[in-house]
Amino acid sequence: MPLPTAPRLLFAVGLAIALSACAARYQTPTAMGGDDDDAVCQSRGLAVGSPEYVACRKDRDVQRSAATARADRRQRDLGEYMLNHPERP
């Protein structure tokens, strides 16, 4: 017996919301502001290809990696805390 249309639609919407939450996990951390590295380095007056420009791009990449590592560490620490303290919601 096929399901009525409304429950199938609600199920599809719920599934889409759940999948979108998973996809959002790997976005750039908000600490970086989602800025375009090229535009930021050029706005500082650095010429493309110059050693200062390359250093600017590298610094921004290091900052982004550090922000991602911090976010991952906080998530892991929260999970461990929740496992070790089941009495606190």
Side-chain angles (χ1 to χ4, degrees):
M1 175 187 237
L3 292 174
T5 304
R8 286 192 308 188
L9 181 62
L10 287 174
F11 176 75
V13 169
L15 184 62
I17 290 171
L19 290 176
S20 68
C22 293
R25 171 67 182 98
Y26 296 101
Q27 292 179 350
T28 302
T30 56
M32 289 301 296
D35 294 329
D36 179 26
D37 292 344
D38 183 55
V40 170
C41 292
Q42 285 185 13
S43 72
R44 294 178 182 167
L46 303 174
V48 176
S50 69
E52 295 84 11
Y53 176 84
V54 172
C56 175
R57 292 290 299 259
K58 183 177 179 181
D59 288 344
R60 291 190 53 84
D61 188 44
V62 168
Q63 290 173 356
R64 184 178 303 105
S65 296
T68 302
R70 281 192 306 273
D72 289 345
R73 190 176 326 113
R74 282 192 302 255
Q75 184 70 30
R76 186 180 60 247
D77 290 346
L78 176 62
E80 288 177 3
Y81 176 83
M82 292 172 70
L83 284 173
N84 293 328
H85 298 88
E87 67 281 355
R88 292 191 72 186

